[in-house]
Amino acid sequence: MAAQINPSILSADFARLADEARAVEGADWLHVDVMDNHFVPNLTLGVPVVESLARATDTPLDCHLMIEAPDRWAPQYVEAGAGSVTFHVEAAAAPVRLAREIRAKGARASMALKPATPIEPYEDLLPELDMLLIMTVEPGFGGQAFLDIMLPKIRRTRELISKHGLELWLQVDGGVSASTIEQCADAGADVFVAGSAVYGAADPAEAVRALRRQAEVATGKASWACDH
């Protein structure tokens, strides 16, 4: 099971986004946090910036929409060049329809859960998705401390994925660093969003490689991975 590292540009220098994207070209995806100051108490960027980023880097874009009305806006991010689009189930009016529309437009469909949102009510939706994102902080701000109380939720989600025999990526976002990534991998995550742990490093590209090595070693020892 290959671990994927997705640096979050929320921790990058917004005045140098093209350069910051190139600084992590060895990453699997570039994680783009879209916040609208309504669903979360912060405002970041939108479709025009995603369009520009898609032209500036060959690293595929993983857009995480922390916004109201994702049913209306998510398809536009696919059209802007995103290879994966994540919507929050708490904000979506029709999550199955939205996931199918994202896929129909050619991108991977992903659904995110805030820390207090349980996975169990959405078990039947999992086959409609390419990835599930479990937030390990409250969405809205970068640099927050990892919530270790999310580890059991990651484990339960991995168990549901295995139960249904799905090829579903399990992403974690929030406080992922050298000190927490192994716990996440052991619990069942295989896609890791890292912001300050990458862009706060002297060499962001090496930070990506180091995090991937840690995650892969932990995954190799994890019981969930050994079952595959």
Side-chain angles (χ1 to χ4, degrees):
M1 301 292 290
Q4 300 185 60
I5 307 298
N6 299 12
S8 170
I9 64 165
L10 187 63
S11 297
D13 181 351
F14 272 35
R16 302 173 52 252
L17 282 184
D19 292 337
E20 296 282 61
R22 285 190 284 269
V24 293
E25 282 184 344
D28 298 279
W29 296 77
L30 191 64
H31 191 81
V32 182
D33 287 306
V34 178
M35 305 182 190
D36 64 358
N37 200 32
H38 294 286
F39 182 70
V40 292
N42 202 353
L43 184 65
T44 55
L45 48 82
V47 169
V49 176
V50 171
E51 289 177 336
S52 296
L53 269 174
R55 292 193 297 268
T57 180
D58 291 329
T59 305
L61 303 184
D62 166 31
C63 286
H64 177 193
L65 307 185
M66 289 169 271
I67 63 174
E68 291 182 352
D71 304 74
R72 174 185 176 189
W73 295 108
Q76 295 188 32
Y77 284 88
V78 183
E79 295 165 3
S84 176
V85 177
T86 301
F87 60 89
H88 268 266
V89 71
E90 301 91 354
V96 171
R97 184 177 64 198
L98 179 55
R100 290 179 178 180
E101 185 173 2
I102 291 169
R103 281 176 155 180
K105 285 184 173 290
R108 295 178 62 87
S110 172
M111 187 173 78
L113 306 180
K114 294 168 74 172
T117 303
I119 179 59
E120 288 80 6
Y122 304 105
E123 178 178 354
D124 291 343
L125 274 65
L126 296 182
E128 301 289 339
L129 304 170
D130 298 295
M131 183 169 73
L132 188 90
L133 166 55
I134 293 180
M135 293 297 300
T136 44
V137 298
E138 288 294 339
F141 294 93
Q144 296 183 66
F146 178 79
L147 294 174
D148 58 4
I149 59 171
M150 292 296 104
L151 292 170
K153 182 176 172 180
I154 297 170
R155 291 186 189 280
R156 292 195 303 274
T157 303
R158 175 54 66 184
E159 288 168 1
L160 291 177
I161 292 170
S162 298
K163 171 185 171 182
H164 292 282
L166 300 173
E167 295 294 326
L168 179 65
W169 295 352
L170 180 51
Q171 184 180 68
V172 288
D173 180 4
V176 175
S177 67
S179 62
T180 60
I181 194 167
E182 293 177 16
Q183 300 173 66
C184 295
D186 179 70
D190 54 8
V191 184
F192 307 87
V193 177
S196 54
V198 170
Y199 281 112
D203 185 341
E206 174 54 32
V208 169
R209 291 190 290 270
L211 287 169
R212 187 185 288 114
R213 288 193 295 269
Q214 276 189 275
E216 288 178 346
V217 169
T219 299
K221 300 175 182 177
S223 59
W224 67 267
C226 294
D227 294 337
H228 285 70

